[in-house]
Amino acid sequence: MAETLTVRTPGLTTVQDLGRVGRSRYGLPANGACDQHSARVANVLCGNDERAPLLELTALDFAGTPSGDILVAVTGAPADVTVGGVPAPQWQPVPVRAGETIRVSNIREGLRVYLAVLGSFDADHLQGSCAPDTVLGFGTTLKAGTELVLHTTCPPLVHPFSGIPLFRLHPPVPLIRAPWTIDVTDGPDQADFGDTAARLYTAPFTVTPRSNHIGLRLEGRVPRRVTHGEILSRGVPVGAVEVPAGDELLVLHRGRGVTAGYPVLAVVTATGLNALGQVRPGQTVRFRHRTLDQAVTAHRAQRNAVEALKERVRTAFDTLRIPVPVPLGG
């Protein structure tokens, strides 16, 4: 009989992965983890494929109890993590014995925390992803008592010298803390804003409570379109910085629809999108202009750091004889 993780405190938790890659052509939003880097690292630290299902905790506390011995990793925003009431580190693999409760509380600075388990969870998939889709009504809302089926368990891991951490894998930990600086590249309609386009970079914008995984709404000194004429609905990327009529910017995130008709002033970079996935309502952000080459270089550096972490995890798991049921995906 398969082991399970029983949810004790659900908070606002969903089963996520990296989303539906390549499905926008069929009209499906990408969805998936809002902070893709933290999600990737959590899975890699557990020896999983980086695309494996894991838990995304948004703002509220979470607690769960496994029926068997497991290995977990908690990444993302700073939080208090305990196992059986004992403090445990983030951004490192952590053993959890059968019957012990892992608790994540006091999520701060950022908005989202990711919890991965060695071997991952059993989850329903739609078009190659388990990511919830609020438009289609796909996905499971976790409740107290929900039992998540685990694909595997982990033999007990005890360090021979008490009090010394079992793992020191040096994962690439991003700075998750306000004030936020978000990198963007030029959008296709930048010229439509004339001299007012510079407002995007000269003053902060405040994230409003109407923001969610579909898009962030920001208040501030909004650039104004100086040209006239209609903009036809067209495909828009995740990260598009749109300027609708009014006093807000709209930054599309992973749950965005695939078409829109507002002018696109800029596009948030891949690394910038990870940071935006952590910004809380009421916090302020500043946008920083980057060239395409700079954006690609930053993204490659982040991905290379994850690839290097995979090698360290392989070595550590081999040494400790931790069975890895699925390949460490690339």
Side-chain angles (χ1 to χ4, degrees):
M1 185 173 181
E3 303 290 355
T4 60
L5 177 71
T6 301
V7 176
R8 305 299 183 191
T9 304
L12 186 56
T13 303
T14 56
V15 180
Q16 288 280 9
D17 57 18
L18 298 184
R20 294 178 180 86
V21 179
R23 297 306 195 273
S24 292
R25 72 187 70 177
Y26 306 120
L28 289 177
N31 286 306
C34 284
D35 180 353
Q36 299 259 299
H37 177 72
S38 293
R40 290 180 193 275
V41 172
N43 265 323
V44 169
L45 286 170
C46 285
N48 298 336
D49 188 290
E50 60 186 46
R51 299 171 291 261
L54 79 170
L55 302 184
E56 182 180 70
L57 289 52
T58 302
L60 303 180
D61 296 352
F62 171 86
T65 305
S67 60
D69 297 334
I70 61 174
L71 189 71
V72 305
V74 179
T75 64
D80 298 331
V81 181
T82 61
V83 174
V86 178
Q90 287 182 264
W91 298 90
Q92 295 292 350
V94 175
V96 181
R97 301 297 294 271
E100 290 184 326
T101 294
I102 178 167
R103 186 177 303 276
V104 180
S105 60
N106 190 25
I107 298 173
R108 53 194 180 271
E109 301 291 349
L111 186 61
R112 293 178 172 90
V113 165
Y114 296 87
L115 190 157
V117 176
L118 170 69
S120 189
F121 303 97
D122 191 22
D124 293 331
H125 283 67
L126 172 68
Q127 288 291 308
S129 171
C130 71
D133 188 305
T134 55
V135 175
L136 297 179
F138 175 78
T140 302
T141 300
L142 299 189
K143 301 176 181 178
T146 297
E147 293 186 346
L148 298 168
V149 176
L150 304 173
H151 284 164
T152 189
T153 56
C154 181
L157 298 171
V158 180
H159 197 287
F161 300 101
S162 178
I164 299 177
L166 188 63
F167 295 97
R168 292 187 185 275
L169 294 170
H170 304 290
V173 181
L175 180 65
I176 299 178
R177 187 177 64 199
W180 300 94
T181 299
I182 306 300
D183 289 344
V184 299
T185 59
D186 293 335
D189 304 315
Q190 182 190 33
D192 289 4
F193 293 87
D195 293 340
T196 74
R199 295 179 186 176
L200 187 67
Y201 308 108
T202 56
F205 292 85
T206 302
V207 178
T208 76
R210 294 197 298 152
S211 301
N212 54 27
H213 70 291
I214 296 175
L216 283 78
R217 295 182 180 273
L218 300 95
E219 294 177 337
R221 191 163 176 257
V222 177
R224 298 297 180 188
R225 189 169 177 238
V226 296
T227 59
H228 302 283
E230 293 291 328
I231 294 180
L232 298 177
S233 292
R234 58 190 170 174
V236 287
V238 176
V241 180
E242 295 187 326
V243 188
D247 297 320
E248 290 183 330
L249 290 179
L250 179 60
V251 184
L252 303 183
H253 217 286
R254 298 198 60 80
R256 63 85 172 91
V258 299
T259 60
Y262 295 126
V264 176
L265 173 60
V267 179
V268 179
T269 67
T271 52
L273 277 169
N274 295 328
L276 273 184
Q278 293 291 356
V279 179
R280 287 174 169 265
Q283 292 183 329
T284 59
V285 302
R286 283 184 175 271
F287 292 101
R288 179 172 59 183
H289 182 266
R290 286 290 183 261
T291 66
L292 286 176
D293 284 346
Q294 288 172 322
V296 170
T297 297
H299 179 59
R300 284 176 176 168
Q302 193 172 72
R303 292 307 312 275
N304 288 341
V306 173
E307 292 300 318
L309 175 64
K310 290 179 183 179
E311 294 299 324
R312 295 194 292 275
V313 170
R314 283 190 181 96
T315 300
F317 279 28
D318 286 347
T319 301
L320 294 169
R321 296 183 174 85
I322 298 174
V324 180
V326 295
L328 287 169

